């Protein structure tokens, strides 16, 4: 049984690494598609070598991308889903990645696994009011019960200096991703029937779940309006919509290895050769993040030792 994969890769740096990733995703498959959405404001990308690759598309976001804002990951994702439908590009599964991800299984093996599974998706999620929530209650509240505007970079130090004075006020300065100033909102879309969920931003979903997400947001604009003002909506919106729907058999595992234990401002640890045994032993489909400037050899060893495996 065959299945058609569409890899959606959001990128902003390291053109050579992006090209290597795309070539690897195509290796051994005559069906997989790759859609690249590059943030050209963050760095250049020469499309010439990509144009020579089969079933590889460049998709451009319609608005400037602001890190941790709806415009950064969520809006391009939803626009790209619409674009796939408009262009009549067929796929069975949508797999989201960054330009600093790399597969730990070959694309033919991934195609076979997804064709055989009864699951409708692989994404990590949790109810923020449950014991399984790895976040603090303050983190979830500050992200998704405030609405933020990004202020100019010049005010960052000022906001940092006075933020302790706001603890008793219904405002919050979220400074991990830049100077965001938020006000507490007392009316949200979250209810007992539409519970707030968190999770990791990257996933693999059947097309039926992808289209449900798109249609739900089109029919419930108040949910979009709320999340447009939140911080990192990509770590909540997809989970909140799909889990609450009750329509899909979702595996609570995104099949990614990401080490956030020493994350700095939301950026996970760079993986090295020392991580290879763990990647080989796990049931991962992808890992991140990789940086050739830190360790190029791990990518060569993944190619030789993991992707060459049957």
């Amino acid at each position: 049984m065959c299945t058609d994969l569409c890899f959606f890769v959001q990128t902003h740096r390291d053109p050579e690494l992006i090209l290597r990733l795309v070539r690897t995703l195509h290796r051994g498959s005559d069906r997989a598609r790759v859609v690249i959405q590059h943030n050209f404001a963050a760095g250049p990308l020469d499309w010439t070598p990509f144009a020579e690759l089969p079933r590889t598309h460049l998709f451009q976001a319609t608005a400037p991308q602001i890190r941790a804002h709806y415009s950064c990951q969520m809006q391009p994702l939803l626009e790209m889903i619409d674009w796939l439908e408009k262009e009549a590009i067929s796929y069975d599964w949508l797999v989201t990645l960054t330009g600093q991800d790399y597969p730990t299984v070959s694309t033919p093996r991934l195609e076979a696994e997804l064709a055989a599974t009864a699951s409708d998706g692989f994404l990590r999620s949790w109810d923020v009011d449950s014991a399984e929530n790895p976040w603090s209650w303050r983190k979830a509240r500050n992200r998704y019960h405030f609405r933020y505007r990004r202020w100019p970079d010049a005010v960052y130090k000022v906001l940092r200096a006075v933020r302790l004075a706001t603890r008793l006020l219904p405002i919050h300065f979220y400074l991990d991703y830049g100077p965001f100033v938020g006000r507490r909102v007392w009316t949200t879309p979250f209810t007992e029937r539409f519970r707030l969920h968190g999770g990791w931003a990257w996933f693999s979903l059947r097309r039926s779940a992808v289209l449900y997400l798109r249609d739900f947001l089109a029919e419930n604009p108040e949910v979009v309006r709320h999340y447009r003002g939140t911080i990192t909506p990509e770590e909540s919106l997809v989970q909140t919509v799909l889990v609450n729907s009750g329509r899909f058999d979702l595996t609570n595992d995104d099949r990614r290895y990401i080490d956030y234990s020493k994350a700095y401002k939301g950026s996970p640890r760079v993986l090295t050769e020392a991580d290879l045994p763990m990647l080989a032993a796990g049931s991962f489909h992808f890992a991140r993040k990789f940086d050739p400037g830190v360790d190029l050899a791990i990518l060569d060893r993944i190619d030789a030792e993991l992707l060459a495996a049957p």
Side-chain angles (χ1 to χ4, degrees), residues 171-188:
I171 62 173
H172 182 70
F173 302 156
Y174 210 114
L175 305 180
D176 287 355
Y177 307 106
F180 283 90
V181 177
R183 62 177 179 83
R184 181 72 184 268
V185 292
W186 304 103
T187 300
T188 73

Side-chain angles (χ1 to χ4, degrees), residues 6 39 48 108 112 136 140 145 164 199 230 241 265 285 295:
C6 179
N39 184 355
T48 304
S136 67
H145 287 268
L164 288 178
T230 63
V241 171
K265 294 188 175 182
H285 294 157
D295 190 333

Side-chain angles (χ1 to χ4, degrees), residues 28-144:
S29 174
D30 60 0
R31 309 175 67 89
R33 291 187 178 274
V34 180
V35 180
I36 299 172
Q37 185 266 304
H38 187 72
N39 184 355
F40 286 93
L45 182 69
D46 179 7
W47 189 250
T48 304
F50 295 91
E52 299 174 356
L53 299 176
R55 303 176 306 283
T56 301
H57 312 270
L58 177 64
F59 176 79
Q60 298 190 45
T62 61
Q65 293 173 264
I66 302 171
R67 189 184 181 201
H69 184 262
Y70 193 89
S71 62
C72 185
Q73 291 179 220
M74 282 308 310
Q75 185 167 328
L77 170 66
L78 295 169
E79 290 175 350
M80 192 278 307
I81 293 169
D82 282 338
W83 177 80
L84 289 174
E85 295 303 306
K86 180 180 178 181
E87 297 296 317
I89 294 177
S90 175
Y91 64 98
D92 299 307
W93 285 81
L94 180 65
V95 180
T96 62
L97 301 168
T98 78
Q100 291 183 284
D101 290 25
Y102 207 71
T104 55
V105 298
S106 68
T107 295
R109 179 176 166 184
L110 180 60
E111 289 173 335
E113 287 191 22
L114 295 182
T117 186
S119 179
D120 293 313
F122 296 88
L123 78 165
R124 181 80 173 88
S125 68
W126 51 79
D127 186 323
V128 299
D129 290 324
S130 72
E132 288 73 33
N133 178 14
W135 295 340
S136 67
W137 69 268
R138 187 187 302 275
K139 180 174 182 177
R141 182 202 64 180
N142 288 347
R143 283 186 173 192
Y144 305 115

Side-chain angles (χ1 to χ4, degrees), residues 100-102 104 256-261 268-276 278-279 284 286-299 302:
Q100 291 183 284
D101 290 25
Y102 207 71
T104 55
R256 272 86 167 154
Y257 178 78
I258 309 174
D259 184 0
Y260 280 113
S261 62
R269 178 177 66 85
V270 173
L271 304 181
T272 67
E273 279 191 273
D275 296 295
L276 191 65
M278 179 274 305
L279 295 179
F284 309 112
F286 302 93
R288 71 181 293 253
K289 67 179 184 177
F290 297 95
D291 186 340
V294 175
D295 190 333
L296 178 61
I298 185 174
L299 297 178
I302 288 174

Side-chain angles (χ1 to χ4, degrees), residues 220-241:
N220 296 272
E222 71 281 1
V223 176
V224 175
R225 282 195 298 270
H226 179 76
Y227 272 99
R228 280 188 181 277
T230 63
I231 294 291
T232 61
E234 67 275 7
E235 293 188 359
S236 172
L237 179 53
V238 174
Q239 289 84 353
T240 297
V241 171

